[in-house]
């Protein structure tokens, strides 16, 4: 193989792995929002406990997650294909739309002992250094009032290296056992912050 052939192969591989550069044809924000609400809920309450609430979520976090799905840095059998169709501007429009909505009230209740176990884990992991008071900040997602099922799935995905778009979270979640993750999930879901 010549040097020129090798360079061409590298260029072709890089092109194949790059996120799409073109916009989704016929993009209409209201139509795309309607697609999103099929899972994330018409009133902001997701239709499945494992799906995240995205109404009122941090704008830049939503945008980054859409771009991560599109680029393959985060994978989901539904979201990867949907996000891959959007260019940056379309992803921004969707993120702006959902960030501007009011965070939904999702009934949730912690169990006895969850708060103490969760707070011990939060202190050990220095979670508040990034997550503050659990309301999110730009790239940091809001966790207060999020669905417990989604929080648990996400923490387990980091722990088991299924989700790879935040290496610090992977390292942190490996420290926690399953009962601790469940307690943290239920406690965060039960927090009511308006």
């Amino acid at each position: 193989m010549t040097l020129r052939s090798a360079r061409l192969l590298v260029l072709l591989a890089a092109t194949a792995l790059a996120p799409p550069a073109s916009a989704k044809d016929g993009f209409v924000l209201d139509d795309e929002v309607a697609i999103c609400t099929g899972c994330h809920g018409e009133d902001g309450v997701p239709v499945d406990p494992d799906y995240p609430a995205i109404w009122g979520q941090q704008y830049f976090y939503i945008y980054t997650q859409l771009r991560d799905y599109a680029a393959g840095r985060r994978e989901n059998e539904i979201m990867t294909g949907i996000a891959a169709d959007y260019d940056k501007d379309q992803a921004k429009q969707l993120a702006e739309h959902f960030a501007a909505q009011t965070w939904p009230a999702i009934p949730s209740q912690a169990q006895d002992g969850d708060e103490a176990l969760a707070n011990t884990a939060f202190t050990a992991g220095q979670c508040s250094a990034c997550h503050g008071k659990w309301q999110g900040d730009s790239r940091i997602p809001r966790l207060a009032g999020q669905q417990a099922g989604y929080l648990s799935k996400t923490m387990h995905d980091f722990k088991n290296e299924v989700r790879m778009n935040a290496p610090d979270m992977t390292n942190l979640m490996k420290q926690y056992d399953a009962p601790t993750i469940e307690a943290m999930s239920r406690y965060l879901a039960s927090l009511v912050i308006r």
Side-chain angles (χ1 to χ4, degrees), residues 119-140:
N119 280 324
T120 298
F122 296 148
T123 299
Q126 300 180 350
C127 301
S128 63
C130 292
H131 289 283
K133 298 186 182 292
W134 318 116
Q135 296 179 64
D137 181 20
S138 186
R139 293 176 181 261
I140 307 297

Side-chain angles (χ1 to χ4, degrees), residues 29 33 44 54-63 91-104:
L29 180 60
V33 167
I54 60 173
W55 282 35
Q57 185 55 276
Q58 296 289 323
Y59 157 75
F60 199 74
Y61 177 77
I62 296 172
Y63 170 72
K92 286 178 181 177
Q93 288 181 55
L94 284 163
E96 287 171 351
H97 170 82
F98 286 108
Q101 307 304 310
T102 300
W103 186 265

Side-chain angles (χ1 to χ4, degrees), residues 28-106:
V28 175
L29 180 60
D30 288 345
D31 293 344
E32 301 305 317
V33 167
I35 292 170
C36 299
T37 60
C39 292
H40 295 285
E42 292 181 5
D43 57 356
V45 178
V47 301
D48 186 290
D50 287 347
Y51 298 160
I54 60 173
W55 282 35
Q57 185 55 276
Q58 296 289 323
Y59 157 75
F60 199 74
Y61 177 77
I62 296 172
Y63 170 72
T64 302
Q65 299 312 300
L66 286 171
R67 299 305 295 164
D68 282 355
Y69 280 124
R73 291 183 292 268
R74 184 175 177 186
E75 294 185 15
N76 176 278
E77 62 185 28
I78 298 170
M79 285 304 303
T80 299
I82 291 173
D85 287 341
Y86 302 135
D87 69 7
K88 289 181 179 180
D89 289 338
Q90 293 168 344
K92 286 178 181 177
Q93 288 181 55
L94 284 163
E96 287 171 351
H97 170 82
F98 286 108
Q101 307 304 310
T102 300
W103 186 265
I106 303 174

